[in-house]
Amino acid sequence: ILAIGIMVLTTIFLLANLSVKSKTSTDPLFYVFAVFSFTSVVSITNALQHTGLIKGFMDFYISKEEPYLSTAHGIMMSYWDGVVHYGLLLIMAHHMTAGKPFRSLALVWAGSMIASEIVLITGVVVGKYGKNLLPAFWRNAPSLVLPIWVAAKLLNRPRELSIIPADKVEVEQKKTLLSRPTDLLLTLGLMGSIIFTAFRGFVVLECSLDFCFTYIFQYEPYMKDSVGFPKVTMLVFLFYVLPLLMACVYGLYAPGCRWMLDWTLVLAGAVAQMQWTHLGASVHSRTPFTYRIPRDEWRQVVTLNLLYTAVPVLLAVRCYMDQTFFMKSVPQEQASNGKKKN
């Protein structure tokens, strides 16, 4: 009943927005967001059913089409899609009809969706469910392609930048990293995240060092689960997130890296989604007991993973709240005029 109610409210909301005379009717992104809002309702229905709050909505579909959605990873992914993605989509649809900016929210959503689908599709293929791929599995292809298209379209659009006085930009960009304590702390956090990312990547690649063996057996045994999702998650961190983390360290050091304003949002969305799903599945009751985080190490592992999640999120907030350091360098003759419009 709750799921049906949410679906009805979604339909009413989107139809009301479609009826508004605005530029959204010519922006294809609005229709992409509308379609994904319905898939988010399906996701929350799946999550609620497997939590035991509703019954009978997803039994046939899960058993005959996408059985991997009943795993701990599938349930946690569904909760994220049905709550976080759903909320972002509705807010973005409202912003579009109201003529408000939605770029930042859309980039967070795109990063989160891309990460979610890469892990899901690859994990299904290489894991134990890859032996019998059903037709419904291929519906995940558009769910990966469309967010990539949305991100590419937004990144190619000019960003609306704050109007910052040129002299303020000049003063801020002359500061060293040591003179910017917030950026210094974020840089240290990023360096720690880089080490942790590389370490967990080596662990799932079956590194023979003793501390790698100890970590996977005593701290995060979920990485050994045959479903394939945790291993793919760590490899996505290693091959995609790690280069972005390193680029962000450079972006905090060198002034004028305007790309930081967009890519930190994509990174924050991706890391938050993958960490939510990975950490949630590590403690979920549907994960075999031997693969869950050991009770004695639970506090340390959860704290470490939460700190790891917080770093890119705080970095994105920092870049969004104060863009001065990331503006293009101002010519000396223009700086003397006082203000610059970006």
Side-chain angles (χ1 to χ4, degrees), residues 12-31:
I12 294 173
F13 178 84
L14 292 172
L15 289 176
N17 278 332
L18 284 171
S19 65
V20 176
K21 294 181 179 180
S22 65
K23 294 182 180 179
T24 57
S25 59
T26 61
D27 193 336
L29 296 184
F30 182 84
Y31 301 99

Side-chain angles (χ1 to χ4, degrees), residues 5-6 13 22 29 60 92 96 111 130 146 158 211 219 221 254 264 336:
I6 294 175
F13 178 84
S22 65
L29 296 184
F60 178 80
M92 288 187 294
M96 293 181 77
L146 285 175
F211 57 84
Y219 293 91
T264 52
S336 61

Side-chain angles (χ1 to χ4, degrees), residues 70-99:
S70 63
T71 63
H73 178 93
I75 294 170
M76 299 306 297
M77 182 190 70
S78 295
Y79 267 119
W80 185 271
D81 190 33
V83 177
V84 178
H85 288 165
Y86 182 71
L88 287 173
L89 289 164
L90 293 186
I91 294 172
M92 288 187 294
H94 172 69
H95 279 208
M96 293 181 77
T97 56

Side-chain angles (χ1 to χ4, degrees), residues 125-330:
V125 173
V126 304
K128 66 179 183 181
Y129 293 100
K131 298 177 181 179
N132 185 25
L133 294 179
L134 299 170
F137 167 76
W138 301 107
R139 76 161 185 85
N140 293 294
S143 297
L144 174 61
V145 174
L146 285 175
I148 293 175
W149 175 77
V150 169
K153 194 171 183 65
L154 288 172
L155 291 171
N156 285 325
R157 289 182 180 180
R159 167 178 269 278
E160 295 182 4
L161 298 172
S162 305
I163 299 176
I164 304 173
D167 54 349
K168 182 178 179 181
V169 173
E170 185 180 14
V171 170
E172 185 67 21
Q173 293 186 349
K174 284 183 176 180
K175 293 180 180 179
T176 64
L177 186 60
L178 295 176
S179 302
R180 294 177 280 122
T182 300
D183 290 351
L184 178 60
L185 289 175
L186 286 171
T187 300
L188 294 175
L190 286 170
M191 294 176 68
S193 297
I194 289 170
I195 295 172
F196 188 55
T197 301
F199 171 68
R200 291 204 295 184
F202 293 147
V203 168
V204 297
L205 290 174
E206 300 180 358
C207 173
S208 59
L209 296 176
D210 290 341
F211 57 84
C212 292
F213 183 84
T214 301
Y215 186 83
I216 199 170
F217 277 91
Q218 296 186 9
Y219 293 91
E220 291 199 64
Y222 177 60
M223 293 182 186
K224 302 183 297 178
D225 198 334
S226 60
V227 291
F229 300 122
K231 185 171 184 176
V232 172
T233 299
M234 295 303 111
L235 293 179
V236 171
F237 276 125
L238 180 64
F239 293 114
Y240 294 95
V241 173
L242 181 61
L244 277 175
L245 292 172
M246 297 173 69
C248 288
V249 172
Y250 173 80
L252 287 175
Y253 174 78
C257 297
R258 189 180 292 181
W259 53 266
M260 285 279 287
L261 303 178
D262 288 331
W263 282 99
T264 52
L265 296 170
V266 176
L267 177 64
V271 172
Q273 194 283 330
M274 289 192 290
Q275 278 293 102
W276 161 267
T277 307
H278 174 74
L279 188 58
S282 298
V283 298
H284 200 279
S285 59
R286 282 183 175 260
T287 298
F289 182 79
T290 54
Y291 293 141
R292 297 180 209 167
I293 299 174
R295 182 173 299 180
D296 294 340
E297 314 297 342
W298 190 91
R299 181 175 297 179
Q300 296 94 312
V301 174
V302 171
T303 300
L304 186 60
N305 276 273
L306 290 177
L307 290 173
Y308 181 76
T309 308
V311 172
V313 174
L314 292 175
L315 176 62
V317 172
R318 179 262 180 271
C319 295
Y320 180 81
M321 297 297 294
D322 186 3
Q323 304 174 359
T324 307
F325 185 76
F326 308 105
M327 295 295 97
K328 292 292 185 181
S329 300
V330 184

Side-chain angles (χ1 to χ4, degrees), residues 87-127:
L88 287 173
L89 289 164
L90 293 186
I91 294 172
M92 288 187 294
H94 172 69
H95 279 208
M96 293 181 77
T97 56
K100 298 179 181 179
F102 64 94
R103 180 191 182 101
S104 297
L105 292 174
L107 288 174
V108 172
W109 172 81
S112 180
M113 276 296 302
I114 292 169
S116 175
E117 291 301 322
I118 288 177
V119 173
L120 177 66
I121 293 172
T122 311
V124 170
V125 173
V126 304

